[in-house]
């Protein structure tokens, strides 16, 4: 027994969660057209990653269901509720967008670390299939990270100084 199935499960859950969070945030911020469109586009990457992980997990004795077409929102619902209570249920769409971006960035960071762990384990185990999977998917996760980071850097000054 090794830890590869544990990393695969964690990564699968993380990609499904990030997809759901991206889609939920895109729906919440549909008036921010660029955010809405890019979030929906990069959510597809996480969907594809989860599908590929599910197929790659089979030889490791792990049976993961194919990702649903409409994933459940993840922990962002809790963040949104806490923020709504903190601002007294006032309309604060810019602040909500920043908190959504922050949560998305943290979720993508967790996935990136899991991809790195999988790549290292695959290399040590000489598992070329998993190594190719990580090499194909991790760069897209890094792009998700760069996008959230850029959006936070771009939006924070204006949104946080105009409250």
């Amino acid at each position: 027994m090794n830890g590869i199935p544990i990393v695969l499960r964690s990564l699968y859950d993380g990609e499904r969660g990030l997809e759901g969070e991206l889609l939920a945030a895109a729906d919440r911020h549909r008036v921010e057209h660029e955010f809405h469109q890019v979030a929906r586009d990069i959510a597809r990457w996480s969907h594809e990653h989860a599908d590929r992980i599910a197929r790659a997990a089979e030889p490791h004795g792990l049976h993961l269901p194919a990702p649903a077409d409409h994933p459940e929102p993840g922990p962002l619902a809790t963040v949104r509720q806490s923020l709504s209570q903190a601002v007294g249920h006032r309309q604060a769409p810019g602040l909500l967008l920043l908190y959504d971006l922050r949560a998305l960035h943290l979720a993508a960071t967790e996935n990136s670390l899991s991809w790195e762990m999988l790549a290292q384990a695959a290399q040590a185990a000489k598992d070329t299939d998993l190594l190719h999977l990580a090499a194909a998917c991790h760069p897209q996760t890094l792009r998700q990270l760069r996008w959230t980071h850029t959006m936070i850097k771009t939006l924070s000054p204006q949104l946080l100084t105009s409250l």
Side-chain angles (χ1 to χ4, degrees), residues 23-115:
L23 293 173
D27 286 344
R28 272 192 300 281
H29 304 289
R30 69 177 61 243
V31 297
E32 298 290 337
H33 299 291
E34 179 186 350
F35 175 87
H36 175 78
Q37 192 59 47
V38 173
R40 293 191 65 76
D41 287 346
I42 65 176
R44 277 195 292 272
W45 296 346
S46 286
H47 184 87
E48 292 165 6
H49 295 174
D51 184 52
R52 292 181 73 171
I53 293 163
R55 286 183 274 137
E58 289 291 328
H60 296 275
L62 190 59
H63 306 290
L64 302 171
D69 287 336
H70 303 287
E72 293 295 316
L76 276 182
T78 305
V79 171
R80 189 176 65 250
Q81 181 180 2
S82 298
L83 181 60
S84 176
Q85 291 170 350
V87 297
H89 301 287
R90 292 179 297 156
Q91 292 293 343
L95 195 53
L96 285 172
L97 178 58
L98 283 177
Y99 273 85
D100 279 348
L101 283 164
R102 178 183 176 272
L104 291 167
H105 188 78
L106 292 173
T109 299
E110 186 174 334
N111 288 350
S112 178
L113 292 171
S114 293
W115 280 119

Side-chain angles (χ1 to χ4, degrees), residues 29 32 34-35 93-102 147-162:
H29 304 289
E32 298 290 337
E34 179 186 350
F35 175 87
L95 195 53
L96 285 172
L97 178 58
L98 283 177
Y99 273 85
D100 279 348
L101 283 164
R102 178 183 176 272
W147 176 72
T148 56
H149 186 252
T150 299
M151 291 292 292
I152 290 168
K153 282 177 62 174
T154 302
L155 297 174
S156 291
Q158 178 185 0
L159 293 174
L160 293 175
T161 58
S162 64

Side-chain angles (χ1 to χ4, degrees), residues 127-158:
D127 188 327
T128 57
D129 291 337
L130 289 182
L131 198 52
H132 289 312
L133 174 67
C137 296
H138 192 204
Q140 290 179 318
T141 301
L142 293 172
R143 287 177 65 194
Q144 290 170 324
L145 273 170
R146 283 192 299 274
W147 176 72
T148 56
H149 186 252
T150 299
M151 291 292 292
I152 290 168
K153 282 177 62 174
T154 302
L155 297 174
S156 291
Q158 178 185 0

